[in-house]
Amino acid sequence: RPLDVSIIIDNMISNSKKADASQLSIEIEPSSDKSILLKFKDNGKGLSPEIQNSKMIFEKGFSTTRSTGLGLYHVQNLVLENNWSITINSAVEKGAEFTIMIKK
């Protein structure tokens, strides 16, 4: 669903801006199981290990900035509706990195 992908990309870009990122990279790579991986990596404020491990970042209304807390909640819902997956790379030293697997 192309519209869902564009909504996800828009939300991820918006979140990087809110986290004061000066750089955002978006990588698109094919996966071995005919899926596509979308990787978003920025150099913003990042997420504490507690937030990453609890997955509270995807809860409705949760925010680490002064926003509505609906962006990643909405992304998570679109991912689940399409039977895709989203993960947070906890090994990032600065900023945040998310990977979304889009199944064909």
XYZ file of all heavy atoms in Angstrom:
807
model
N 0.845 -1.175 0.000
C 0.000 0.000 0.000
C 0.889 1.238 0.000
O 1.382 1.653 1.049
C -0.929 -0.050 1.191
C -1.902 -1.205 1.098
C -2.759 -1.473 2.281
N -3.151 -0.349 3.073
C -3.944 -0.430 4.120
N -4.421 -1.579 4.489
N -4.248 0.629 4.813
N 1.057 1.824 -1.176
C 1.959 2.980 -1.322
C 1.618 4.150 -0.404
O 2.514 4.823 0.090
C 1.805 3.368 -2.785
C 1.284 2.148 -3.465
C 0.482 1.414 -2.434
N 0.345 4.407 -0.168
C -0.031 5.530 0.692
C 0.474 5.300 2.118
O 0.983 6.223 2.759
C -1.546 5.737 0.693
C -2.049 6.893 1.565
C -1.413 8.211 1.128
C -3.552 6.983 1.511
N 0.378 4.069 2.607
C 0.863 3.761 3.952
C 2.366 4.013 4.053
O 2.843 4.548 5.050
C 0.552 2.312 4.327
C -0.930 2.078 4.563
O -1.689 3.069 4.660
O -1.337 0.911 4.648
N 3.106 3.627 3.025
C 4.556 3.838 3.030
C 4.868 5.328 3.056
O 5.746 5.777 3.797
C 5.233 3.146 1.822
C 6.712 3.496 1.738
C 5.057 1.634 1.915
N 4.144 6.125 2.286
C 4.405 7.567 2.273
C 4.059 8.213 3.617
O 4.760 9.118 4.077
C 3.666 8.258 1.120
O 2.275 8.180 1.291
N 3.021 7.746 4.281
C 2.663 8.256 5.608
C 3.759 7.907 6.615
O 4.156 8.737 7.437
C 1.296 7.699 6.068
C 0.174 8.289 5.203
C 1.049 7.986 7.550
C -1.175 7.606 5.396
N 4.280 6.693 6.529
C 5.357 6.262 7.420
C 6.590 7.127 7.207
O 7.186 7.624 8.167
C 5.667 4.766 7.206
C 4.526 3.911 7.776
C 7.008 4.383 7.837
C 4.593 2.446 7.413
N 6.986 7.326 5.956
C 8.169 8.135 5.659
C 7.986 9.559 6.175
O 8.888 10.123 6.802
C 8.482 8.117 4.153
C 8.957 6.720 3.750
C 9.523 9.172 3.781
C 9.077 6.503 2.253
N 6.821 10.138 5.953
C 6.538 11.495 6.420
C 6.663 11.593 7.940
O 7.263 12.530 8.467
C 5.142 11.921 5.960
C 4.817 13.340 6.362
O 5.513 14.264 5.898
O 3.860 13.531 7.142
N 6.106 10.623 8.661
C 6.185 10.626 10.126
C 7.615 10.460 10.614
O 8.024 11.111 11.591
C 5.305 9.515 10.713
C 3.891 9.953 10.955
O 3.637 10.823 11.759
N 2.965 9.363 10.217
N 8.385 9.614 9.967
C 9.769 9.398 10.398
C 10.612 10.653 10.162
O 11.438 11.012 11.002
C 10.363 8.184 9.679
C 9.642 6.874 9.978
S 9.499 6.456 11.725
C 11.165 5.956 12.074
N 10.391 11.335 9.055
C 11.101 12.596 8.788
C 10.704 13.640 9.827
O 11.556 14.332 10.387
C 10.815 13.092 7.359
C 11.472 12.162 6.337
C 11.297 14.528 7.163
C 11.055 12.423 4.894
N 9.428 13.736 10.112
C 8.932 14.694 11.103
C 9.540 14.421 12.480
O 9.946 15.353 13.177
C 7.408 14.616 11.165
O 6.906 15.449 12.166
N 9.635 13.148 12.863
C 10.208 12.810 14.165
C 11.676 13.199 14.250
O 12.146 13.657 15.294
C 10.046 11.316 14.446
C 8.632 10.969 14.838
O 7.837 11.833 15.159
N 8.323 9.693 14.789
N 12.410 13.026 13.165
C 13.825 13.413 13.163
C 13.972 14.917 13.355
O 14.841 15.373 14.097
C 14.493 12.977 11.860
O 14.615 11.573 11.826
N 13.104 15.681 12.700
C 13.141 17.139 12.874
C 12.857 17.519 14.318
O 13.529 18.373 14.893
C 12.118 17.811 11.958
C 12.475 17.800 10.500
C 11.386 18.484 9.700
C 11.633 18.409 8.214
N 10.522 19.021 7.450
N 11.860 16.887 14.919
C 11.487 17.188 16.305
C 12.592 16.806 17.286
O 12.683 17.376 18.369
C 10.187 16.466 16.672
C 8.971 17.012 15.958
C 7.759 16.170 16.259
C 6.589 16.576 15.389
N 5.457 15.649 15.533
N 13.416 15.837 16.902
C 14.524 15.399 17.758
C 15.784 16.211 17.484
O 16.870 15.835 17.901
C 14.793 13.914 17.538
N 15.628 17.322 16.769
C 16.736 18.228 16.451
C 17.853 17.568 15.635
O 19.023 17.915 15.779
C 17.327 18.851 17.727
C 16.316 19.721 18.454
O 15.471 20.339 17.772
O 16.358 19.773 19.692
N 17.496 16.627 14.792
C 18.488 15.983 13.935
C 18.906 16.947 12.826
O 18.079 17.637 12.251
C 17.919 14.714 13.311
N 20.198 16.986 12.561
C 20.693 17.777 11.427
C 20.934 16.885 10.216
O 21.146 17.381 9.122
C 21.987 18.501 11.812
O 22.996 17.569 12.148
N 20.885 15.575 10.433
C 21.049 14.617 9.343
C 20.069 13.471 9.512
O 19.827 13.009 10.631
C 22.462 14.039 9.318
C 23.532 15.058 9.035
C 24.920 14.424 9.075
O 25.126 13.391 9.713
N 25.854 15.046 8.394
N 19.544 13.005 8.397
C 18.681 11.825 8.368
C 19.024 11.050 7.119
O 19.046 11.611 6.020
C 17.199 12.220 8.355
C 16.206 11.097 8.051
C 16.206 10.039 9.155
C 14.811 11.661 7.835
N 19.313 9.776 7.294
C 19.520 8.932 6.121
C 18.376 7.937 6.040
O 17.908 7.425 7.059
C 20.868 8.201 6.177
O 20.881 7.255 7.213
N 17.920 7.707 4.824
C 16.879 6.719 4.567
C 17.448 5.749 3.548
O 17.801 6.142 2.442
C 15.593 7.372 4.018
C 15.073 8.429 4.997
C 14.530 6.298 3.760
C 13.921 9.253 4.447
N 17.581 4.507 3.966
C 18.107 3.473 3.081
C 16.984 2.510 2.728
O 16.171 2.153 3.584
C 19.233 2.699 3.754
C 20.451 3.540 4.067
C 21.526 2.740 4.783
O 21.543 1.498 4.691
O 22.352 3.387 5.454
N 16.977 2.091 1.490
C 16.009 1.111 1.018
C 16.806 -0.061 0.476
O 17.632 0.108 -0.414
C 15.110 1.699 -0.084
C 14.398 2.952 0.427
C 14.115 0.653 -0.577
C 13.698 3.740 -0.641
N 16.590 -1.240 1.047
C 17.317 -2.403 0.568
C 16.399 -3.602 0.444
O 15.507 -3.787 1.264
C 18.490 -2.786 1.468
C 18.658 -2.105 2.747
C 19.840 -2.619 3.565
O 19.853 -3.783 3.979
O 20.725 -1.801 3.810
N 16.642 -4.400 -0.588
C 15.873 -5.643 -0.712
C 16.344 -6.624 0.348
O 17.500 -6.619 0.753
C 16.206 -6.138 -2.113
C 17.507 -5.501 -2.452
C 17.574 -4.210 -1.685
N 15.439 -7.454 0.811
C 15.763 -8.473 1.793
C 15.724 -9.837 1.108
O 15.127 -9.979 0.031
C 14.757 -8.418 2.939
O 15.035 -9.385 3.909
N 16.303 -10.822 1.716
C 16.399 -12.147 1.099
C 15.046 -12.829 0.921
O 14.904 -13.711 0.097
C 17.323 -13.040 1.918
O 16.824 -13.169 3.226
N 14.061 -12.427 1.675
C 12.744 -13.077 1.577
C 11.747 -12.258 0.755
O 10.557 -12.306 0.988
C 12.197 -13.359 2.967
C 11.956 -12.094 3.762
O 12.345 -11.005 3.303
O 11.361 -12.181 4.848
N 12.255 -11.504 -0.212
C 11.435 -10.681 -1.115
C 10.718 -9.549 -0.386
O 9.696 -9.064 -0.831
C 10.438 -11.541 -1.895
C 11.092 -12.512 -2.835
C 10.077 -13.231 -3.670
C 10.773 -14.201 -4.618
N 9.833 -14.903 -5.475
N 11.258 -9.164 0.747
C 10.750 -8.003 1.467
C 11.665 -6.822 1.174
O 12.730 -6.983 0.590
C 10.737 -8.269 2.976
O 9.880 -9.333 3.282
N 11.235 -5.661 1.601
C 12.042 -4.456 1.459
C 12.279 -3.901 2.855
O 11.363 -3.830 3.677
C 11.325 -3.409 0.581
C 11.159 -3.933 -0.838
C 12.074 -2.087 0.593
C 10.307 -3.055 -1.712
N 13.520 -3.515 3.122
C 13.854 -2.898 4.397
C 13.997 -1.397 4.203
O 14.711 -0.948 3.314
C 15.170 -3.459 4.941
C 15.208 -4.944 5.254
C 16.601 -5.341 5.727
C 14.165 -5.313 6.284
N 13.290 -0.629 5.014
C 13.435 0.830 5.064
C 14.165 1.149 6.356
O 13.668 0.828 7.442
C 12.071 1.526 5.095
C 11.236 1.563 3.841
C 9.918 2.270 4.130
C 11.964 2.276 2.734
N 15.340 1.755 6.246
C 16.121 2.099 7.436
C 16.204 3.613 7.570
O 16.588 4.298 6.637
C 17.531 1.518 7.343
C 17.547 0.010 7.370
C 18.961 -0.507 7.363
C 18.968 -2.016 7.427
N 20.332 -2.547 7.538
N 15.801 4.098 8.727
C 15.828 5.522 9.043
C 16.840 5.729 10.159
O 16.704 5.145 11.235
C 14.453 5.996 9.530
C 13.359 5.802 8.530
C 12.672 4.596 8.454
C 13.011 6.820 7.664
C 11.659 4.414 7.525
C 11.990 6.647 6.731
C 11.323 5.443 6.666
N 17.852 6.559 9.902
C 18.860 6.815 10.925
C 19.114 8.315 10.977
O 19.389 8.939 9.953
C 20.157 6.081 10.600
C 21.219 6.251 11.661
C 22.452 5.435 11.356
C 23.461 5.615 12.461
N 24.672 4.833 12.233
N 19.019 8.881 12.193
C 19.283 10.309 12.339
C 20.310 10.546 13.441
O 20.719 9.620 14.134
C 17.988 11.096 12.587
C 17.356 10.853 13.945
O 18.094 10.586 14.926
O 16.131 10.946 14.053
N 20.721 11.797 13.572
C 21.700 12.168 14.594
C 21.070 13.097 15.636
O 21.731 13.943 16.201
C 22.931 12.834 13.964
C 22.609 14.162 13.309
O 21.446 14.499 13.071
N 23.633 14.929 13.003
N 19.793 12.889 15.885
C 19.071 13.721 16.850
C 19.324 13.317 18.295
O 20.324 12.688 18.615
N 18.394 13.674 19.157
C 18.527 13.452 20.597
C 18.603 11.974 20.979
O 19.134 11.633 22.028
C 17.351 14.089 21.331
C 17.328 15.599 21.225
C 16.091 16.162 21.894
C 16.030 17.664 21.704
N 14.786 18.231 22.210
N 18.022 11.127 20.173
C 18.056 9.697 20.462
C 17.039 9.272 21.499
O 16.233 10.071 21.967
N 17.091 8.000 21.854
C 16.155 7.406 22.802
C 16.932 6.681 23.885
O 17.894 5.971 23.604
C 15.253 6.396 22.081
C 14.444 6.932 20.898
C 13.856 5.788 20.103
C 13.352 7.848 21.402
N 16.500 6.838 25.114
C 17.177 6.144 26.212
C 16.954 4.638 26.067
O 15.959 4.193 25.480
C 16.629 6.618 27.551
O 15.307 6.132 27.734
N 17.853 3.833 26.616
C 17.673 2.377 26.564
C 16.351 1.924 27.200
O 15.735 0.974 26.731
C 18.873 1.839 27.361
C 19.901 2.902 27.241
C 19.140 4.200 27.194
N 15.923 2.622 28.255
C 14.660 2.259 28.904
C 13.485 2.407 27.945
O 12.602 1.557 27.900
C 14.412 3.132 30.142
C 15.423 2.960 31.250
C 16.734 3.719 31.012
O 16.745 4.725 30.287
O 17.755 3.274 31.550
N 13.491 3.481 27.183
C 12.408 3.714 26.223
C 12.472 2.680 25.109
O 11.457 2.112 24.713
C 12.469 5.154 25.664
C 12.125 6.150 26.754
C 11.540 5.306 24.471
C 12.348 7.597 26.368
N 13.669 2.425 24.605
C 13.817 1.446 23.525
C 13.373 0.059 23.959
O 12.660 -0.621 23.225
C 15.280 1.379 23.085
C 15.753 2.629 22.401
C 17.211 2.539 22.042
O 17.738 1.476 21.777
N 17.882 3.672 22.031
N 13.795 -0.369 25.124
C 13.476 -1.721 25.591
C 12.013 -1.913 25.945
O 11.493 -3.008 25.822
C 14.360 -2.085 26.787
C 15.815 -2.176 26.402
O 16.145 -2.480 25.257
N 16.691 -1.909 27.344
N 11.352 -0.868 26.385
C 9.951 -0.998 26.796
C 8.988 -0.846 25.630
O 7.826 -1.187 25.753
C 9.608 0.060 27.841
O 9.573 1.342 27.227
N 9.466 -0.314 24.531
C 8.630 -0.053 23.345
C 7.552 0.985 23.624
O 6.604 1.128 22.873
C 7.988 -1.338 22.801
C 8.976 -2.436 22.472
C 9.863 -2.067 21.327
C 10.739 -3.260 20.973
N 11.796 -2.949 20.067
N 7.681 1.749 24.726
C 6.685 2.769 25.043
C 6.650 3.878 23.987
O 5.677 4.600 23.892
C 6.913 3.346 26.439
C 8.153 4.190 26.590
S 8.300 4.991 28.208
C 8.781 3.649 29.249
N 7.712 3.968 23.182
C 7.770 4.997 22.138
C 6.613 4.840 21.145
O 6.215 5.785 20.484
C 9.155 4.966 21.427
C 9.371 6.219 20.602
C 9.304 3.731 20.557
C 9.726 7.428 21.401
N 6.049 3.627 21.067
C 4.946 3.362 20.138
C 3.571 3.536 20.777
O 2.556 3.361 20.113
C 5.062 1.944 19.567
C 6.319 1.725 18.769
C 7.307 0.882 19.227
C 6.511 2.376 17.556
C 8.462 0.671 18.490
C 7.663 2.176 16.818
C 8.640 1.326 17.286
N 3.528 3.885 22.060
C 2.252 4.053 22.745
C 1.605 5.389 22.386
O 2.286 6.402 22.239
C 2.444 3.964 24.263
C 2.834 2.587 24.729
C 3.101 2.533 26.223
O 2.805 3.521 26.942
O 3.615 1.491 26.670
N 0.300 5.370 22.289
C -0.461 6.575 21.957
C -0.226 7.647 23.007
O -0.362 7.403 24.210
C -1.954 6.240 21.886
C -2.814 7.383 21.409
C -4.252 6.935 21.278
C -5.124 8.029 20.722
N -6.517 7.566 20.559
N 0.187 8.829 22.550
C 0.385 9.962 23.437
C 1.780 10.065 24.025
O 2.105 11.068 24.648
N 2.621 9.052 23.845
C 3.969 9.112 24.398
C 4.858 9.957 23.500
O 4.863 9.797 22.285
C 4.588 7.718 24.552
C 5.965 7.775 25.157
C 6.122 7.839 26.529
C 7.083 7.816 24.353
C 7.378 7.916 27.093
C 8.359 7.896 24.901
C 8.505 7.949 26.267
N 5.634 10.864 24.095
C 6.516 11.722 23.323
C 7.757 12.072 24.133
O 7.680 12.248 25.344
C 5.786 13.015 22.934
O 6.657 13.886 22.250
N 8.881 12.164 23.459
C 10.104 12.648 24.098
C 10.354 14.101 23.716
O 11.333 14.699 24.131
C 11.326 11.792 23.691
O 11.480 11.856 22.277
C 11.157 10.348 24.140
N 9.464 14.650 22.898
C 9.516 16.060 22.518
C 8.177 16.684 22.904
O 7.328 16.035 23.495
C 9.749 16.210 20.993
O 8.634 15.664 20.287
C 11.025 15.512 20.553
N 7.984 17.901 22.546
C 6.703 18.565 22.856
C 5.715 18.361 21.710
O 5.218 19.319 21.116
C 6.923 20.049 23.085
C 7.719 20.321 24.312
C 7.882 21.795 24.524
N 8.650 22.021 25.747
C 9.064 23.182 26.136
N 8.809 24.251 25.419
N 9.750 23.300 27.244
N 5.421 17.114 21.415
C 4.490 16.820 20.325
C 3.313 16.011 20.850
O 3.210 15.741 22.048
C 5.223 16.053 19.216
O 5.640 14.788 19.691
N 2.448 15.605 19.951
C 1.231 14.900 20.338
C 1.465 13.456 20.737
O 0.615 12.847 21.380
C 0.221 14.913 19.172
O 0.813 14.213 18.058
C -0.160 16.319 18.781
N 2.586 12.874 20.335
C 2.826 11.470 20.616
C 1.998 10.549 19.749
O 1.714 9.418 20.118
N 1.642 11.037 18.574
C 0.833 10.219 17.672
C 1.621 9.679 16.476
O 1.184 8.739 15.825
C -0.372 11.026 17.160
C -1.376 11.434 18.230
C -2.471 12.303 17.615
C -1.979 10.217 18.908
N 2.786 10.251 16.191
C 3.548 9.873 15.003
C 3.951 8.411 14.968
O 3.553 7.659 14.080
N 4.753 7.970 15.946
C 5.189 6.573 15.958
C 4.050 5.623 16.307
O 4.054 4.472 15.874
C 6.369 6.383 16.915
C 7.703 6.883 16.379
C 8.780 6.778 17.451
C 8.116 6.136 15.132
N 3.068 6.100 17.041
C 1.869 5.306 17.299
C 1.169 4.999 15.974
O 0.794 3.856 15.701
C 0.938 6.064 18.251
C -0.429 5.448 18.410
C -0.604 4.312 19.194
C -1.535 6.015 17.784
C -1.856 3.736 19.345
C -2.790 5.455 17.935
C -2.954 4.315 18.698
O -4.194 3.753 18.845
N 1.038 6.013 15.147
C 0.408 5.856 13.840
C 1.254 4.947 12.939
O 0.722 4.070 12.256
C 0.207 7.235 13.195
C -0.661 7.237 12.000
N -2.005 6.949 12.037
C -0.370 7.483 10.706
C -2.503 7.020 10.821
N -1.530 7.341 9.992
N 2.565 5.145 12.949
C 3.473 4.297 12.167
C 3.301 2.841 12.592
O 3.154 1.949 11.752
C 4.941 4.754 12.333
C 5.902 3.707 11.797
C 5.168 6.093 11.640
N 3.311 2.592 13.891
C 3.160 1.233 14.410
C 1.849 0.611 13.940
O 1.806 -0.555 13.542
C 3.225 1.245 15.936
C 2.865 -0.067 16.599
C 4.039 -0.984 16.777
O 5.096 -0.799 16.189
N 3.868 -1.987 17.594
N 0.759 1.369 13.980
C -0.537 0.846 13.537
C -0.515 0.475 12.058
O -1.045 -0.567 11.673
C -1.658 1.847 13.823
C -2.046 1.866 15.283
O -1.854 0.888 16.004
N -2.591 2.969 15.735
N 0.079 1.325 11.222
C 0.172 1.016 9.793
C 1.026 -0.226 9.553
O 0.692 -1.072 8.719
C 0.746 2.204 9.020
C -0.152 3.433 8.932
C 0.602 4.600 8.295
C -1.412 3.114 8.135
N 2.106 -0.334 10.295
C 2.987 -1.503 10.181
C 2.210 -2.772 10.538
O 2.246 -3.767 9.804
C 4.235 -1.319 11.080
C 4.967 -2.629 11.295
C 5.171 -0.276 10.479
N 1.498 -2.741 11.647
C 0.749 -3.920 12.079
C -0.394 -4.264 11.130
O -0.634 -5.441 10.847
C 0.219 -3.708 13.503
C 1.277 -3.615 14.599
C 0.637 -3.266 15.938
C 2.095 -4.888 14.689
N -1.110 -3.251 10.635
C -2.215 -3.480 9.702
C -1.754 -4.197 8.435
O -2.507 -4.949 7.838
C -2.863 -2.149 9.299
C -3.753 -1.548 10.342
C -4.267 -0.169 9.922
O -4.196 0.190 8.728
O -4.730 0.555 10.825
N -0.521 -3.931 8.025
C 0.007 -4.512 6.792
C 0.829 -5.780 7.036
O 1.397 -6.331 6.102
C 0.873 -3.476 6.067
C 0.037 -2.396 5.435
O -0.646 -2.631 4.450
N 0.065 -1.205 6.007
N 0.888 -6.221 8.296
C 1.680 -7.397 8.661
C 3.163 -7.194 8.365
O 3.852 -8.105 7.911
C 1.144 -8.662 7.976
C 1.632 -9.926 8.640
O 1.890 -9.946 9.846
N 1.801 -10.973 7.867
N 3.641 -5.977 8.583
C 5.048 -5.638 8.443
C 5.650 -5.647 9.849
O 4.996 -6.052 10.799
C 5.216 -4.259 7.806
C 4.594 -4.113 6.436
C 4.268 -5.111 5.564
C 4.217 -2.900 5.790
N 3.719 -4.600 4.424
C 3.679 -3.230 4.526
C 4.282 -1.558 6.139
C 3.223 -2.282 3.625
C 3.817 -0.601 5.243
C 3.303 -0.958 3.997
N 6.891 -5.186 9.982
C 7.493 -5.095 11.316
C 8.339 -3.834 11.414
O 8.815 -3.314 10.405
C 8.349 -6.329 11.614
O 9.458 -6.388 10.744
N 8.508 -3.358 12.644
C 9.356 -2.200 12.914
C 10.228 -2.529 14.122
O 9.745 -3.109 15.098
C 8.546 -0.902 13.147
C 9.480 0.293 13.324
C 7.579 -1.054 14.295
C 8.785 1.644 13.287
N 11.515 -2.189 14.002
C 12.437 -2.424 15.108
C 13.268 -1.170 15.346
O 13.462 -0.361 14.438
C 13.387 -3.611 14.826
O 14.068 -3.371 13.602
C 12.635 -4.923 14.747
N 13.734 -1.043 16.569
C 14.638 0.042 16.957
C 16.022 -0.565 17.114
O 16.181 -1.572 17.799
C 14.205 0.678 18.294
C 12.785 1.208 18.222
C 15.174 1.785 18.694
C 12.221 1.635 19.562
N 17.015 0.043 16.479
C 18.390 -0.416 16.625
C 18.949 0.200 17.902
O 19.219 1.397 17.953
C 19.237 -0.028 15.416
C 20.665 -0.506 15.527
O 21.091 -1.022 16.557
N 21.422 -0.351 14.464
N 19.138 -0.609 18.915
C 19.595 -0.100 20.212
C 21.107 0.090 20.274
O 21.618 0.600 21.261
C 19.138 -1.036 21.332
O 19.642 -2.336 21.102
N 21.827 -0.316 19.225
C 23.292 -0.192 19.231
C 23.771 1.174 18.743
O 24.963 1.440 18.717
C 23.905 -1.289 18.367
N 22.852 2.052 18.396
C 23.211 3.371 17.883
C 23.753 4.226 19.022
O 23.134 4.315 20.079
C 21.982 4.057 17.230
C 22.295 5.463 16.811
C 21.491 3.253 16.049
N 24.911 4.839 18.799
C 25.523 5.661 19.854
C 24.889 7.037 19.964
O 24.763 7.599 21.042
C 27.018 5.805 19.592
C 27.774 4.512 19.800
C 29.262 4.681 19.611
O 29.774 5.805 19.790
O 29.913 3.684 19.274
N 24.494 7.622 18.847
C 23.870 8.949 18.854
C 22.684 8.926 17.900
O 22.747 8.331 16.834
C 24.868 10.017 18.411
C 24.266 11.416 18.389
C 25.320 12.481 18.258
C 24.756 13.862 18.039
N 23.762 14.321 18.960
N 21.612 9.569 18.278
C 20.442 9.620 17.421
C 19.569 8.391 17.584
O 19.586 7.726 18.608
N 18.813 8.114 16.549
C 17.892 6.978 16.565
C 17.942 6.277 15.215
O 18.195 6.907 14.186
C 16.475 7.451 16.853
N 17.684 4.985 15.245
C 17.631 4.209 14.012
C 16.486 3.215 14.086
O 16.378 2.445 15.050
C 18.944 3.458 13.788
C 18.972 2.689 12.482
C 20.305 2.036 12.204
O 21.347 2.518 12.707
O 20.313 1.033 11.494
N 15.626 3.268 13.098
C 14.485 2.371 12.994
C 14.580 1.617 11.677
O 14.989 2.177 10.659
C 13.160 3.160 12.985
C 12.846 3.848 14.280
C 13.367 5.095 14.565
C 12.016 3.258 15.210
C 13.079 5.752 15.749
C 11.701 3.891 16.405
C 12.243 5.144 16.666
N 14.168 0.352 11.692
C 14.085 -0.448 10.471
C 12.670 -0.971 10.333
O 12.119 -1.547 11.279
C 15.075 -1.636 10.502
O 16.394 -1.128 10.644
C 14.984 -2.453 9.227
N 12.106 -0.764 9.156
C 10.770 -1.259 8.866
C 10.877 -2.298 7.755
O 11.457 -2.007 6.699
C 9.820 -0.120 8.454
C 9.701 0.878 9.611
C 8.458 -0.664 8.034
C 8.972 2.141 9.269
N 10.356 -3.494 8.003
C 10.342 -4.541 6.989
C 8.981 -4.549 6.319
O 7.964 -4.747 6.975
C 10.638 -5.923 7.571
C 10.605 -7.010 6.496
S 10.829 -8.662 7.150
C 12.585 -8.623 7.433
N 8.997 -4.286 5.031
C 7.770 -4.264 4.242
C 7.729 -5.550 3.440
O 8.575 -5.799 2.592
C 7.739 -3.031 3.312
C 7.745 -1.769 4.151
C 6.532 -3.102 2.385
C 7.866 -0.505 3.350
N 6.729 -6.373 3.720
C 6.591 -7.644 3.020
C 5.853 -7.435 1.706
O 4.857 -6.715 1.667
C 5.850 -8.648 3.889
C 6.588 -8.977 5.157
C 5.811 -9.911 6.024
C 6.542 -10.170 7.325
N 5.769 -11.022 8.213
N 6.357 -8.082 0.684
C 5.713 -7.962 -0.639
C 4.499 -8.849 -0.706
O 4.362 -9.821 -0.045
C 6.682 -8.357 -1.738
C 7.770 -7.343 -1.938
C 8.614 -7.723 -3.122
C 9.700 -6.675 -3.346
N 10.517 -6.974 -4.499
